[in-house]
Amino acid sequence: MADKRSPVGVFDSGVGGIGTLAALRRELPKERFLFYGDTANAPYGTKTREACMACIDHVMQRLLAQDVKAVVIACNTASAVAAAELRARCELPIVAIEPALKPAYELRRDGTILVLATPMTLQLEKFRALYERYGEGAVPLPCPGLMELVEQEAHEQARRYLTELFSPYDLNRVDAVVLGCTHYVFLRPILRELLPDTVSVLDGNQGTARQLRRVLTARGLLADGVGSVMLETSGDPAKVIPVMERLLVRAEKELQ
Ligand code: DGL
C-alpha cells in the first residue's frame, strides 16, 4: 500500500518529460521520483488514440507495480488521451500536464498566440475545451516529427523545422508561443534565437509541479525524507539514460 514515502511516478513517451521532472524536483525536493520514458513506443502524438492508450496502459502497469503514490503524466499527448480515463479507473492521484493556453490568454495584448503541439493533442476534446475558453487569437500548429528531433538532439534540423513553421507568420505580431508538448521545452534556446524578445515562450511544467504539491498535500502524501530520481526507459537504456541524465542537468540548471 503506497504511503508518503512511496515514489511519485512520472512518465512521457520519451525524454520530453525530463523538463517536467526538473520542475517537479524544484517544487518538491523531498520527493522520490520514478521517471519512465516510453521511448520504444514513441512518438505517441502521431498514433491512433487506441494505440496510444495501449502504450499508456502498459506504462501505468509498470508504475503501479512499483507502488507509486501518485502519477504525473508529463506528456501533453498522453494527458489528452488518457487523463480522464485513468482518473476514473485509479484511486491514486493523477496529475496531467496541459498546454499553457490560459497563461498565454492572460498575457495576450492583441497579437497572435502560436500553440505548438502534437497532432493528437490538438485533435482531442481536452484541448478543444481549453481552446474554447482561452483560444482567442490562438493558432494551433501541429508539429509531427518535431519530438523526434529532440530525442535525437538534432539541433540544426529542429532549427530548420521551426524556421519553416513560423515562416507564414509576422513574428512581431505574436504575443506568445505555447509549448504544448514537453519535448519542445528543450528547443527553448533555438526558439529564443528565432523569436523577437517581446514573444513569451510558455510551458506547462511549473503549473504541473504546483498541482502535484496541491494534490499530495490534500491527501497527506507529501514526503519529508531525502529526494531522489530513478530513470527508466522502454528503449535501449545504454542510449537513452545518458540523454535523460544530460537533459535533467540542463533543465535543472535552467530553472535555477
Ligand atoms: N512529449 C509529448 C507531449 O508532451 C509527446 C510527444 C510524442 O510522443 O509525440 O505531447
Side-chain angles (χ1 to χ4, degrees):
M1 182 67 183
D3 62 23
K4 65 181 189 177
R5 283 164 307 208
S6 305
V8 174
V10 183
F11 77 91
D12 180 30
S13 59
V15 300
I18 291 287
T20 316
L21 176 66
L24 298 172
R25 288 210 349 124
R26 182 158 195 232
E27 179 73 26
L28 297 161
K30 294 182 175 169
E31 295 296 334
R32 294 167 53 217
F33 291 101
L34 166 61
F35 181 87
Y36 189 82
D38 195 11
T39 318
N41 296 303
Y44 284 178
T46 46
K47 284 189 167 42
T48 64
R49 185 178 191 155
E50 294 68 32
C52 198
M53 192 68 218
C55 297
I56 295 165
D57 276 335
H58 193 73
V59 172
M60 282 299 289
Q61 277 167 27
R62 284 194 65 114
L63 294 177
L64 293 173
Q66 295 186 72
D67 207 24
V68 295
K69 64 180 176 185
V71 171
V72 177
I73 311 179
C75 171
N76 293 266
T77 310
S79 294
V81 169
E85 194 171 326
L86 295 180
R87 285 191 182 119
R89 210 199 281 166
C90 302
E91 284 212 358
L92 80 177
I94 307 283
V95 174
I97 198 163
E98 66 178 19
L101 201 55
K102 181 167 180 261
Y105 173 85
E106 284 164 357
L107 65 73
R108 180 172 178 257
R109 297 175 294 272
D110 60 353
T112 304
I113 307 288
L114 299 177
V115 186
L116 281 52
T118 66
M120 174 95 79
T121 297
L122 298 176
Q123 261 161 38
L124 296 179
E125 310 81 59
K126 195 172 190 311
F127 180 76
R128 295 233 183 112
L130 197 65
Y131 188 78
E132 191 94 338
R133 272 185 92 175
Y134 302 112
E136 205 181 314
V139 180
L141 295 177
C143 300
L146 187 54
M147 78 77 89
E148 288 88 327
L149 301 181
V150 176
E151 290 281 324
Q152 295 153 15
E153 300 181 287
H155 307 298
E156 270 322 301
Q157 275 168 276
R159 184 191 309 275
R160 282 200 294 277
Y161 188 114
L162 290 167
T163 305
E164 174 83 359
L165 185 76
F166 293 147
S167 64
Y169 302 95
D170 175 358
L171 297 178
N172 291 308
R173 292 206 31 80
V174 171
D175 285 339
V177 169
V178 173
L179 305 178
C181 167
T182 51
H183 280 77
Y184 307 164
V185 173
F186 290 106
L187 299 173
R188 219 176 249 276
I190 299 175
L191 286 160
R192 281 282 43 128
E193 276 173 36
L194 297 178
L195 298 166
D197 290 347
T198 48
V199 180
S200 303
V201 180
L202 305 171
D203 65 67
N205 286 340
Q206 321 297 334
T208 305
R210 284 194 296 269
Q211 181 60 11
L212 178 63
R213 172 185 284 286
R214 279 192 287 271
V215 301
L216 292 180
T217 306
R219 300 225 194 169
L221 284 172
L222 268 185
D224 48 18
V226 178
S228 63
V229 172
M230 212 158 81
L231 302 172
E232 288 186 8
T233 176
S234 56
D236 176 358
K239 278 199 190 130
V240 180
I241 302 290
V243 179
M244 287 178 170
E245 287 172 343
R246 242 189 339 268
L247 291 178
L248 186 58
V249 170
R250 182 179 142 190
E252 291 193 334
K253 210 177 273 167
E254 278 168 15
L255 285 176
Q256 270 167 15

